[in-house]
Amino acid sequence: NAGVTQTPKFQVLKTGQSMTLQCAQDMNHNSMYWYRQDPGMGLRLIYYSASEGTTDKGEVPNGYNVSRLNKREFSLRLESAAPSQTSVYFCASSPLGYQPQHFGDGTRLSIL
Amino acid sequence: QQQVKQSPQSLIVQKGGISIINCAYENTAFDYFPWYQQFPGKGPALLIAIRPDVSEKKEGRFTISFNKSAKQFSLHIMDSQPGDSATYFCAASFSNQFYFGTGTSLTVIP
């Protein structure tokens, strides 16, 4: 049972390049989330999808877009990468919003 | 503005001791308070969670104490073990919006 799978695991981009981070879950969860984790900042919610067909902004949405492709997949897109977006990105899913979140192992993204 | 304030930033405990991590919040709309454990190179994993209608929840060696009037909650790890060495995050949530503390790096010395 894979749980939450994120691809790629590592990526280096140049400023201005675009990139899509992929996330898929095999637990039939309704809700999915994207976070970024920076040293000393904890995890901050970028976007979430409470159910298939819906997406909403989190705490730090600027510079990002998301797509809930189907119930399993939730992607995060950086249209024009900036050095400030260097971070570790985590995808998570949960059965419903008030239930435990299951996290992937992250995508480590560096923007030069 | 940090919605959830977590302390201490780091903690060193002897094997067998009690580890205590504290969190505070301001937004009374929060209605779900999970704690996560994270090992290097891995995503956070849910440890234990509580809702504001109870004051304490215990699962094995892990206990959450919740003080609704003070808007504070804490994680107690009893009989701490070297395998508990990790980073711990508290979080608070309402309506699918999750806010995390800045994390506590716990080191348990054998």
Side-chain angles (χ1 to χ4, degrees):
Chain A
N1 192 352
V4 177
T5 301
Q6 294 184 234
T7 55
K9 295 188 185 307
F10 302 92
Q11 186 70 46
V12 178
L13 294 178
K14 293 181 179 178
T15 298
Q17 288 186 315
S18 61
M19 171 78 186
T20 299
L21 280 59
Q22 307 287 352
C23 175
Q25 52 92 9
D26 62 2
M27 296 172 284
N28 200 35
H29 286 172
N30 289 297
S31 302
M32 297 186 73
Y33 309 81
W34 275 106
Y35 292 89
R36 61 178 289 173
Q37 184 174 32
D38 303 293
M41 300 289 291
L43 288 93
R44 292 181 291 170
L45 182 63
I46 304 171
Y47 271 92
Y48 67 95
S49 171
S51 60
E52 186 178 356
T54 69
T55 60
D56 285 286
K57 295 178 180 179
E59 187 180 359
V60 289
N62 291 344
Y64 305 95
N65 285 300
V66 291
S67 296
R68 184 73 183 267
L69 304 171
N70 48 56
K71 191 172 185 179
R72 290 186 64 249
E73 299 172 288
F74 188 38
S75 64
L76 178 72
R77 183 162 178 84
L78 287 70
E79 290 291 350
S80 180
S84 61
Q85 295 177 305
T86 293
S87 188
V88 181
Y89 291 85
F90 287 100
C91 177
S93 71
S94 68
L96 292 171
Y98 294 109
Q99 294 175 307
Q101 294 186 339
H102 299 256
F103 283 80
D105 283 338
T107 294
R108 284 145 185 84
L109 182 62
S110 293
I111 300 163
L112 306 177
Chain B
Q1 181 183 354
Q2 194 73 26
Q3 293 266 359
V4 179
K5 297 182 180 179
Q6 183 173 347
S7 63
Q9 185 175 357
S10 62
L11 183 60
I12 300 174
V13 173
Q14 294 278 356
K15 178 183 176 180
I18 302 173
S19 303
I20 301 173
I21 303 170
N22 301 299
C23 286
Y25 64 98
E26 286 298 325
N27 191 341
T28 56
F30 290 140
D31 57 8
Y32 178 61
F33 300 88
W35 283 90
Y36 287 86
Q37 179 188 57
Q38 186 179 29
F39 293 103
K42 295 293 185 181
L46 180 73
L47 204 55
I48 187 172
I50 198 168
R51 297 199 186 279
D53 52 347
V54 298
S55 60
E56 186 175 281
K57 183 175 181 180
K58 184 177 181 179
E59 291 185 1
R61 296 185 294 110
F62 302 94
T63 300
I64 298 178
S65 296
F66 188 84
N67 187 329
K68 188 174 181 178
S69 60
K71 290 184 283 187
Q72 295 175 348
F73 58 111
S74 61
L75 175 70
H76 295 234
I77 305 174
M78 312 300 288
D79 187 26
S80 297
Q81 298 296 313
D84 296 331
S85 297
T87 300
Y88 292 81
F89 293 95
C90 62
S93 168
F94 75 95
S95 189
N96 270 297
Q97 294 275 0
F98 282 80
Y99 295 90
F100 282 74
T102 51
T104 296
S105 177
L106 172 66
T107 301
V108 181
I109 300 172

